[in-house]
Amino acid sequence: MKNYYAIIMAGGIGSRFWPISQSAHPKQFLDILGTGKTLIQQTYERFLKIIPAENIYIATNDIYIPLVRQQLPGISPDQILGEPIMKSTAPCIAYASHKISLLNPDAAIVVSPSDHLILDIEEFTKNILLSLEVASRNNCLITLGIKPYRPDIHYGYIQYTSQTIESDYHKVKTFTEKPNMELAKTFVQSGDFLWNAGIFVWSVNSILLAFDEFLPELNDIFKEGADKLNTPMENAFIHHAYYQCTNISIDYGIMEKAPNMYVLPTDFGWSDLGTWSSVYELAEKDYLGNAVIPSDKVMMYDSSNCMVKVPKNKLVILQGLDDYIVVESNNTLLICQKTHEESIKQILSDVRSKFGTVYN
């Protein structure tokens, strides 16, 4: 396993979970489901089962480095890759891949978001290990696709063909970002579409070849800094380099263009926890369908199908609500219909316009 590496991406701000997720303390550093561990802690512990601790890297914004150190005390400062400004996923993957390549040219890498939920750890572990083995043997880029059990407009979709490598890995035909409901229903009924989990596996050589072909300018930025990566000069180099990087996701920059893209159809109890509705779906509910985290001081009257997350010691009484999100945190109370939760990002934008960053 010495050739296996993980890149955990932890730089997002999780604005859909405002007011609990705020720019100074975003979603990945929170215990959204009340399990006793934050999402990044759960992600890190999953990879510790299959990746040597010294081979796990956290890519995050500079302002979150203290949070990473606090929540993952066993990790070395050299394994925290600080980004001076928020860019999309391609720059941080290029940065980490060039760094790892210089340390171990035989590396196989799994790239994962830090804020997803995995319920079947055993199946997940099996899929990742198998994918690392396949990626080590083949010049391919692998993504994990989740077998959909319902049409969902919040997920991206991957269409695959019958062409395979090593039996289980299907050639990707198309990527589709968050379709409308009619299209999502068509995808699920067709049987050849999967949810895009945003988890990737490849050899370091394969991904760097792909960067060289599809994002050559971005690739050259980090290639030119090869003599500074893994040295005391790395931080200064990155602070300069990042301002030259294109703000582009790995999906748009490489995945949708690469001819050697393959997907493993799987199901390990995955959720990207992208919305309060996804948390509601996973949370324990009472007989009226209310999910309350924590539940010891919340009293519900004539209320059903609500998602409630409030401070532990706060007495909260709710009466006559059906299908609502009720969240209190950081001196902010949000009460929003579940069917209108897509408006939370706009609400946050309006709050910033009116009050500045006080409630941010």
Side-chain angles (χ1 to χ4, degrees), residues 52-167:
E54 64 273 18
N55 290 359
I56 300 176
Y57 288 84
I58 312 295
T60 190
N61 191 272
D62 280 343
I63 63 174
Y64 303 140
I65 289 176
L67 282 170
V68 173
R69 288 177 175 163
Q70 177 190 341
Q71 295 197 5
L72 305 177
I75 204 162
S76 159
D78 294 338
Q79 293 167 255
I80 305 173
L81 311 186
E83 302 171 279
I85 51 174
M86 290 188 182
K87 297 280 187 173
S88 195
T89 52
C92 79
I93 292 172
Y95 169 21
S97 298
H98 276 275
K99 183 178 173 71
I100 291 168
S101 174
L102 293 165
L103 295 170
N104 184 349
D106 297 321
I109 303 170
V110 52
V111 180
S112 170
S114 59
D115 54 2
H116 290 185
L117 179 72
I118 308 294
L119 295 176
D120 190 342
I121 307 297
E122 187 177 341
E123 182 68 12
F124 174 79
T125 302
K126 185 178 79 173
N127 291 161
I128 296 298
L129 276 175
L130 180 62
S131 298
L132 286 164
E133 291 168 10
V134 171
S136 298
R137 292 192 291 263
N138 299 274
N139 177 22
C140 62
L141 307 175
I142 295 170
T143 185
L144 272 56
I146 308 300
K147 296 167 187 173
Y149 54 89
R150 65 167 191 274
D152 196 307
I153 62 171
H154 298 108
Y155 296 150
Y157 287 76
I158 303 167
Q159 185 182 24
Y160 62 96
T161 72
S162 57
Q163 182 183 339
T164 63
I165 56 169
E166 305 210 13
S167 302

Side-chain angles (χ1 to χ4, degrees), residues 181-282:
M181 183 53 74
E182 187 177 339
L183 199 53
K185 287 178 180 175
T186 303
F187 287 171
V188 174
Q189 288 165 2
S190 74
D192 60 351
F193 281 82
L194 303 164
W195 286 334
N196 185 357
I199 300 170
F200 306 108
V201 183
W202 41 55
S203 71
V204 72
N205 291 323
S206 293
I207 191 58
L208 290 182
L209 283 171
F211 269 109
D212 195 42
E213 182 174 358
F214 300 110
L215 293 172
E217 291 179 2
L218 179 63
N219 192 53
D220 286 346
I221 291 169
F222 294 100
K223 195 191 290 186
E224 288 166 10
D227 60 334
K228 298 177 180 66
L229 296 175
N230 302 308
T231 77
M233 295 182 287
E234 178 175 322
N235 191 51
F237 163 71
I238 290 299
H239 275 247
H240 172 71
Y242 250 72
Y243 287 93
Q244 304 173 55
C245 292
T246 308
N247 188 10
I248 188 169
S249 73
I250 197 73
D251 301 72
Y252 289 124
I254 292 179
M255 302 297 100
E256 294 182 5
K257 300 171 184 173
N260 57 338
M261 193 77 223
Y262 290 83
V263 62
L264 175 66
T266 186
D267 185 8
F268 39 73
W270 168 87
S271 172
D272 73 345
L273 292 181
T275 62
W276 280 114
S277 290
S278 64
V279 174
Y280 172 80
E281 185 181 319
L282 293 160

